[in-house]
Amino acid sequence: MSRRRSAAEAFEKVPTQVFANSAEAAKELAAEVRKLIETKNKAGKPAVLGMATGSTPVPFYRELIRLHKEEGMSFKNVITFNLDEYYGLNADHPESYARFMADQLFDHIDIPKKNIHIPKGTVPSDQVFAHCREYEEAIDTAGGVDLQILGIGRTGHIGFNEPGSSKESLTRRITLDRITRQDAASDFRGEENVPHFAITMGVGTILRAKKLVLMAWGENKAGIVAKAVEGPVTEAISASFLQDHPDARFFIDAGASRELTRFKLPWLVGPVNWTPRETQRAVCWQSAQMSRPVLKLVDEDYNEHGLSDLLSEQGPAYQLNIRIFNRLQHTITGWPGGKPDADDTYRPERARPFPKRCLVFSPEPQDGVIAIGGTIDRLREQGHDVQVVSLTSGSLRVADSEADKFASTLLELGATAADSAQWKEQTEYARELVRLIEEKGEFGEDPPVLRRLKALILRGELRDAAAAVGLGTDKVVFLDLPFYEKGRYRRFRSSEEDVATVAALLREWKPHQIYLTGDAADPSSVPSICFKVIETALKQCEGEEWIGSCTNWLYRGKEKAFEPHEIDMAVPLSPNQMERKLRALTRYQSLSSLELQTPDLNRAAAAQYDSLGLAEYEAMECFQRWRRV
Ligand code: F6R
């Protein structure tokens, strides 16, 4: 590692490079791999690469394929070893890592099949130990891994080395952590279908690589990345062992870097440009540190916590506190669409025009109502024209058991009807659906008709949920964007067709307000892809009359709430409204309770405002203003 580390990186115990986005990082890493292959091949040796699967390496593999196809980069003299494989899955199972690697990389480059190594998910139990030993030996025979690519799980795992894996552990069969299985639930259409076991290289195996690069994207990974980079080396987070390796690096994007000290508490590592946002961040942090409301902070509090600089620029504490308190106060509004005929100088949303046309973009049918059902409720109640736009069908999320329930009910209804002959065709249709579900088995691909049924189930649930917050069925639009219909989780790719669909809707609606999410999410996730589609569609509408006066509000889903300094609008929910929102969430019967955790976040947001010294509400839905660049 030749790059000099700056003072800002003082807390980081492993070199960490932050890129503007995953594509930039992928480009740099792919260029490095190209150099490595060339150098090794010049020396008459193969390059040995350690490969990872999951969403993270996808942009990197796309760049390798591009280098191969457009710039003639060859993989003829490359040997690969994959980190892991689900135990119990055949190599041709759609979710096996063998299949993933074929689809995402190997089928598109010139690597000889014999050079590819992936643990086998189907070795009989009594042969697992021998298989793992052979895998270790094969790595050594190849001369060891030159460069190991890694992702990181939310448990901090590398490979599938879940918490508790020792530094010396070798390739073996392991039990997957609950969180890991939950994270894979959408791939397998339900947590219950996710394998319980996997074969993985051990931490010891991984650390034998000469160089390692761990990649992480999106704010969902920010917490675990910070622990792995700045925390103690511990078996509880196997990625932390990278700190002990002489040539390990983290390549992360802005979202995944958010919890690193240099971004989260920049005043601890150097001079800060005290923008209003940074100032608010420091004051809110100080208040949380002292467990004291903003207005009770004193000069000494700031001085003793590395904030004397801020104080000398913007103090004394009393003045600073009042300024920030007022700013926080002004974010709170029960009028998310603007309060008509009121002075809106300090309100987050302008009063006019009234009523407004509001578009709530929901990446999957559940996201919008779950995240901001209370705000939808308020907007509607205050006379605005609210339209919820479900961008994708969400059909891949619905478990077979749900589809089976609907198809079986339909079948029974037809078969037991007094005039059953009249329902013969429908009954046959239902019988066919039940048969298809059975025939495709636990892990099979859904035939189109089954996907359609699953999409309709979620449609019905969204309509019900929207009704619970007062929206009629005509206020819910389903776009079923093609990228989702053609893809699988972690491997989606949007196209011009998706953008055109959203642009057409925007032009038809000419909204005054847009609510959207996904700006800081993992780039391969549905919210992130949808965000980019909307962003591109908005760019296409640039210059049209309506767009200049359209305000855009970002919201967050179940994963990560905004911090107080990031909030531009906080919409309080009364206990009654919260109850209505909870009722709306019960309509999503086909989803696991894990999808429905936002009420906790809404309550936590209100508690946070309360502890900063502002009014105490039951719950809050929070938003950040998004200015298109
Ligand atoms: C994959 C692997 C795992 C993943 C990790 C992150 O081969 O070994 O450690 O890298 O679970 O997964 P994604 O990239 O899907 O977030």
Side-chain angles (χ1 to χ4, degrees):
M1 172 67 204
S2 54
R3 201 172 63 91
R4 288 261 303 279
R5 296 171 68 180
S6 69
E9 295 160 59
F11 286 79
E12 295 159 25
K13 299 177 189 157
V14 58
T16 302
Q17 233 168 301
V18 181
F19 294 84
N21 53 53
S22 59
E24 299 273 309
K27 221 170 161 179
E28 180 153 333
L29 186 56
E32 200 175 313
V33 167
R34 177 185 208 162
K35 239 194 221 145
L36 171 77
I37 296 175
E38 284 167 3
T39 315
K40 292 277 305 197
N41 289 178
K42 256 188 214 140
K45 292 187 183 148
V48 183
L49 300 178
M51 304 306 228
T53 52
S55 328
T56 309
V58 170
F60 166 64
Y61 293 153
R62 284 186 186 155
E63 176 62 8
L64 289 183
I65 294 169
R66 193 195 67 76
L67 287 173
H68 170 69
K69 296 212 157 129
E70 292 176 17
E71 299 184 23
M73 174 176 169
S74 172
F75 295 80
K76 284 221 165 85
N77 211 3
V78 170
I79 298 178
T80 62
F81 288 91
N82 262 81
L83 283 165
D84 41 19
E85 177 60 283
Y86 287 115
Y87 186 70
L89 298 196
N90 263 314
D92 57 1
H93 184 287
E95 287 306 328
S96 81
Y97 285 165
R99 173 86 178 266
F100 176 96
M101 288 307 295
D103 290 352
Q104 297 299 312
L105 182 67
F106 296 146
D107 283 357
H108 310 281
I109 57 174
D110 60 347
I111 187 167
K113 287 241 163 2
K114 65 173 175 39
N115 289 6
I116 297 170
H117 302 82
I118 302 176
K120 280 199 179 53
T122 48
V123 273
S125 239
D126 59 347
Q127 291 166 33
V128 167
F129 184 76
H131 177 65
C132 294
R133 202 182 43 214
E134 283 160 18
Y135 203 70
E136 291 280 335
E137 284 165 8
I139 296 174
D140 291 341
T141 309
V145 170
D146 293 310
L147 174 62
Q148 175 67 55
I149 305 300
L150 297 167
I152 182 170
R154 282 198 301 142
T155 59
H157 70 214
I158 45 176
F160 273 139
N161 290 285
E162 299 292 19
S165 301
S166 82
K167 193 180 173 186
E168 290 75 30
S169 53
L170 297 178
T171 304
R172 66 206 187 287
R173 181 169 56 179
I174 51 90
T175 305
L176 294 171
D177 190 276
R178 177 90 205 271
I179 295 179
T180 301
R181 294 187 63 246
Q182 284 169 356
D183 284 348
S186 54
D187 307 335
F188 286 89
R189 288 155 219 183
E191 192 184 324
E192 65 277 14
N193 301 324
V194 181
H196 285 267
F197 305 101
I199 294 183
T200 181
M201 281 188 196
V203 177
T205 323
I206 293 170
L207 292 180
R208 283 210 308 280
K210 289 159 202 141
K211 283 175 192 281
L212 301 124
V213 174
L214 185 150
M215 295 183 280
W217 324 128
E219 61 182 9
N220 210 15
K221 295 278 174 76
I224 195 68
V225 163
K227 283 186 188 152
V229 170
E230 299 189 348
V233 175
T234 162
E235 282 184 1
I237 297 174
S238 61
S240 68
F241 287 120
L242 263 55
Q243 294 177 19
D244 287 342
H245 191 282
D247 198 345
R249 283 166 292 158
F250 276 52
F251 275 23
I252 60 178
D253 70 355
S257 74
R258 283 174 41 133
E259 298 284 324
L260 293 177
T261 305
R262 63 170 139 149
F263 299 108
K264 196 177 167 71
L265 310 171
W267 51 90
L268 296 186
V269 298
V272 175
N273 172 18
W274 290 110
T275 59
R277 193 76 87 191
E278 284 306 305
T279 306
Q280 193 174 334
R281 182 207 288 267
V283 174
C284 294
W285 174 77
Q286 186 61 52
S287 157
Q289 270 315 88
M290 310 301 296
S291 305
R292 233 182 298 136
V294 167
L295 292 176
K296 285 192 177 176
L297 296 174
V298 293
D299 286 353
E300 289 76 42
D301 297 330
Y302 289 103
N303 283 330
E304 285 164 17
H305 288 87
L307 287 166
S308 52
D309 181 30
L310 171 64
L311 216 51
S312 60
E313 204 178 300
Q314 302 195 29
Y318 181 72
Q319 299 295 343
L320 175 61
N321 297 344
I322 288 185
R323 260 205 335 277
I324 296 303
F325 179 86
N326 284 339
R327 188 175 137 70
L328 286 164
Q329 180 72 46
H330 293 148
T331 61
I332 304 175
T333 181
W335 297 83
K339 188 169 186 180
D341 305 322
D343 174 7
D344 57 10
T345 318
Y346 296 112
R347 290 178 179 278
E349 183 55 89
R350 67 212 189 280
R352 299 261 148 212
F354 178 84
K356 291 188 174 64
R357 286 188 298 276
C358 313
L359 282 187
V360 176
F361 281 113
S362 182
E364 293 185 42
Q366 70 280 7
D367 297 319
V369 175
I370 290 178
I372 60 166
T375 302
I376 294 172
D377 197 8
R378 272 195 187 261
L379 285 166
R380 177 205 47 84
E381 209 174 60
Q382 291 164 1
H384 301 287
D385 191 359
V386 187
Q387 191 92 16
V388 175
V389 183
S390 176
L391 291 152
T392 70
S393 73
S395 59
L396 293 170
R397 210 172 262 292
V398 178
D400 285 349
S401 54
E402 283 299 315
D404 192 51
K405 185 170 78 187
F406 276 81
S408 302
T409 308
L410 198 61
L411 177 61
E412 199 172 342
L413 191 68
T416 58
D419 47 354
S420 59
Q422 202 186 326
W423 299 104
K424 196 162 167 284
E425 274 174 31
Q426 284 85 343
T427 310
E428 278 315 308
Y429 190 66
R431 200 185 309 283
E432 173 67 1
L433 278 165
V434 173
R435 190 189 64 75
L436 282 173
I437 296 169
E438 215 178 282
E439 185 185 276
K440 83 181 184 68
E442 204 181 6
F443 295 129
E445 288 275 356
D446 286 353
V449 59
L450 187 54
R451 254 186 110 154
R452 176 110 192 102
L453 171 61
K454 290 182 172 181
L456 291 179
I457 292 171
L458 267 181
R459 274 192 182 198
E461 291 179 354
L462 169 53
R463 286 196 190 107
D464 278 2
V469 289
L471 290 185
T473 33
D474 59 324
K475 296 294 172 198
V476 188
V477 181
F478 299 90
L479 294 188
D480 290 353
L481 288 183
F483 86 81
Y484 187 92
E485 298 309 307
K486 289 182 204 150
R488 301 184 68 80
Y489 280 103
R490 298 170 200 257
R491 309 177 211 177
F492 296 117
R493 243 185 154 149
S494 64
S495 72
E496 187 42 47
E497 223 183 331
D498 302 297
V499 176
T501 311
V502 174
L505 177 103
L506 286 168
R507 290 196 168 108
E508 183 194 330
W509 254 73
K510 301 186 177 47
H512 302 111
Q513 266 197 335
I514 289 176
Y515 292 86
L516 72 174
T517 190
D519 56 305
D522 172 345
S524 69
S525 66
V526 174
S528 171
I529 295 171
C530 288
F531 179 82
K532 289 196 182 101
V533 167
I534 299 168
E535 190 180 24
T536 317
L538 284 167
K539 267 194 198 123
Q540 290 187 356
C541 300
E542 208 63 70
E544 292 176 25
E545 205 191 322
W546 61 273
I547 204 172
S549 63
C550 175
T551 43
N552 307 302
W553 292 104
L554 296 169
Y555 66 88
R556 287 285 182 266
K558 65 179 193 302
E559 278 105 12
K560 188 106 178 71
F562 287 121
E563 290 184 40
H565 69 278
E566 297 173 312
I567 298 169
D568 292 313
M569 176 161 78
V571 180
L573 308 188
S574 68
N576 283 345
Q577 264 172 335
M578 194 59 178
E579 226 178 280
R580 275 208 294 279
K581 176 166 175 172
L582 289 170
R583 207 175 322 132
L585 301 198
T586 60
R587 307 298 153 93
Y588 287 108
Q589 288 174 357
S590 69
L591 299 175
S592 93
S593 56
L594 284 172
E595 299 293 326
L596 311 173
Q597 285 169 347
T598 50
D600 295 341
L601 296 179
N602 299 151
R603 289 202 180 93
Q608 207 163 27
Y609 265 73
D610 176 32
S611 58
L612 289 165
L614 292 118
E616 183 179 355
Y617 289 96
E618 170 75 10
M620 279 176 163
E621 290 173 348
C622 300
F623 302 87
Q624 189 177 67
R625 196 184 302 280
W626 177 57
R627 292 197 170 87
R628 288 171 295 110
V629 276

